[in-house]
Amino acid sequence: MASSAPISKTQLTILSILLTLTLVFALGKAEDGFVRAMDRKLLGLKNQKFSHFRFYWHDIYSGKNPSAMAIIQPPANASKSGFGAVSMIDNPLTEGPEVSSKLLGKAQGFYGLASQEDIALIMAMNFHITQGKYNGSTLTILGRNQVFDKVREMPVIGGSGLFRFASGYAHASTHKFNPSNGDAVVEYNVYVQHY
């Protein structure tokens, strides 16, 4: 059995250059020096899925361990809508409307009263999933929430983990609201396209 000759530095350099060029052409062609078209299969993005998630969002201001906290209060002469108030949240997302039901994740972010005329929030939050196949992945919601409408629609603008390149929308409908302390339970139905 004959032994093969060792690879020379020149051969190794040529092989390295060829492999690099192969990767560059496989990944995509550079455009304008800083952008290139990509083959999504190389990133593991094969078939797009369409999923429906349902959970209950618990906005809790009361008690010893609130999940929502007012961080900015509007001045006394502000509009009747509370324009300018901002709250930070780390709200439980549960399977059922009771806060004691199975925890599916957390809604983390903030919302603020963004209208001078009516009660409408700007909401920016991540739904961080902690159960099942999507454990550790997030869906990002950013949109207008006109609180007293029966059903509010907000866009899903992206995500992380198994929700990379996610898009879709979320429907929010109030299940329960306590005007004396501000606590609320909201049902979220999220429809999302993802890979």
Side-chain angles (χ1 to χ4, degrees), residues 178-191:
N178 183 338
S180 66
N181 61 18
D183 289 358
V185 178
V186 178
E187 180 181 344
Y188 272 86
N189 283 280
V190 184
Y191 301 90

Side-chain angles (χ1 to χ4, degrees), residues 38-39 119 128 148:
M38 298 289 294
D39 182 352
I119 309 297
H128 178 239
F148 294 117

Side-chain angles (χ1 to χ4, degrees), residues 39-169:
D39 182 352
R40 68 175 155 217
K41 291 178 185 172
L42 292 173
L43 295 173
L45 305 175
K46 295 178 182 164
N47 295 321
Q48 198 169 39
K49 301 170 191 77
F50 184 68
S51 300
H52 170 223
F53 297 87
R54 187 185 96 190
F55 34 72
Y56 290 85
W57 180 90
H58 299 267
D59 204 31
I60 305 166
Y61 283 94
S62 65
K64 293 180 183 177
N65 191 22
S67 66
M69 182 176 294
I71 57 173
I72 298 175
Q73 292 295 333
N77 62 352
S79 68
K80 292 179 183 178
S81 71
F83 176 68
V86 177
S87 291
M88 188 66 63
I89 62 168
D90 186 20
N91 289 348
L93 298 172
T94 62
E95 191 170 58
E98 300 79 25
V99 74
S100 60
S101 66
K102 183 178 181 180
L103 183 67
L104 303 176
K106 293 286 195 96
Q108 298 169 325
F110 62 92
Y111 57 80
L113 287 156
S115 175
Q116 294 181 9
E117 289 83 35
D118 51 5
I119 309 297
L121 303 171
I122 177 72
M123 300 195 72
M125 60 184 165
N126 286 318
F127 291 154
H128 178 239
I129 308 301
T130 58
Q131 293 292 323
K133 173 182 174 180
Y134 299 103
N135 182 17
S137 298
T138 63
L139 287 169
T140 302
I141 308 293
L142 176 64
R144 185 175 196 269
N145 181 348
Q146 192 150 346
V147 178
F148 294 117
D149 285 359
K150 185 175 179 175
V151 177
R152 289 88 68 193
E153 184 173 302
M154 291 168 278
V156 172
I157 63 165
S160 68
L162 293 178
F163 296 123
R164 288 184 191 125
F165 301 106
S167 64
Y169 63 96

Side-chain angles (χ1 to χ4, degrees), residues 2-47:
S3 64
S4 58
I7 297 176
S8 72
K9 285 185 179 180
T10 305
Q11 290 172 320
L12 190 57
T13 302
I14 292 171
L15 182 60
S16 178
I17 291 170
L18 288 173
L19 286 173
T20 302
L21 288 172
T22 301
L23 278 173
V24 167
F25 289 119
L27 290 175
K29 182 180 114 184
E31 300 170 10
D32 296 328
F34 66 96
V35 178
R36 68 174 179 230
M38 298 289 294
D39 182 352
R40 68 175 155 217
K41 291 178 185 172
L42 292 173
L43 295 173
L45 305 175
K46 295 178 182 164
N47 295 321

